[in-house]
Amino acid sequence: AAGQNKQHFITKNTAKLDRETEELHHDRVSLEVGKVIQQGRQSKGMTQKDLATKINEKPQVIADYESGRAIPNNQVMGKIERAIGLKLRGKDIGKPLETGPKGK
């Protein structure tokens, strides 16, 4: 069983950022959303690390979202929304998340 020469895996967002040019830029999380995440997190008494641990992401991901450097990912945004209880997507950004009964 000889060693294999495997290609290193590059995440989709990293590849997107590499292809980015002056004319072509990718949407980033708005500063408004970053502020909502920060305020929601602080109102629950959580640090960036606490929030990251709760949603199974790295603390750097939370820092990037709060500073507006992250390319939005709906899965991550959904996890953050549920963790802090505030909407981060759509037109009601910053409003409390409605926790109604889930349909089956």
Side-chain angles (χ1 to χ4, degrees):
Q4 295 177 346
N5 190 10
K6 290 187 177 180
Q7 293 293 321
H8 293 286
F9 180 75
I10 297 177
T11 61
K12 204 168 12 175
N13 283 351
T14 306
K16 278 184 188 178
L17 288 172
D18 288 344
R19 289 193 302 268
E20 194 170 273
T21 64
E22 293 295 321
E23 304 84 42
L24 172 70
H25 66 280
H26 296 282
D27 292 335
R28 302 243 195 281
V29 176
S30 72
L31 282 175
E32 177 191 7
V33 171
K35 283 191 171 116
V36 169
I37 293 171
Q38 191 172 15
Q39 289 165 351
R41 174 177 61 74
Q42 289 171 342
S43 73
K44 298 231 184 240
M46 288 193 276
T47 63
Q48 288 182 340
K49 186 176 179 182
D50 293 337
L51 179 57
T53 303
K54 186 170 182 170
I55 66 166
N56 293 326
E57 293 290 343
K58 292 181 179 153
Q60 186 61 45
V61 171
I62 303 301
D64 287 347
Y65 271 82
E66 286 186 3
S67 65
R69 288 189 306 254
I71 294 174
N73 175 326
N74 274 329
Q75 271 188 314
V76 175
M77 296 280 272
K79 290 194 281 188
I80 295 172
E81 278 181 337
R82 288 189 296 277
I84 64 174
L86 297 173
K87 286 185 68 104
L88 302 175
R89 300 172 284 186
K91 58 184 190 277
D92 296 332
I93 293 174
K95 297 223 172 114
L97 203 58
E98 295 171 16
T99 53
K102 289 187 178 177
K104 289 187 176 181

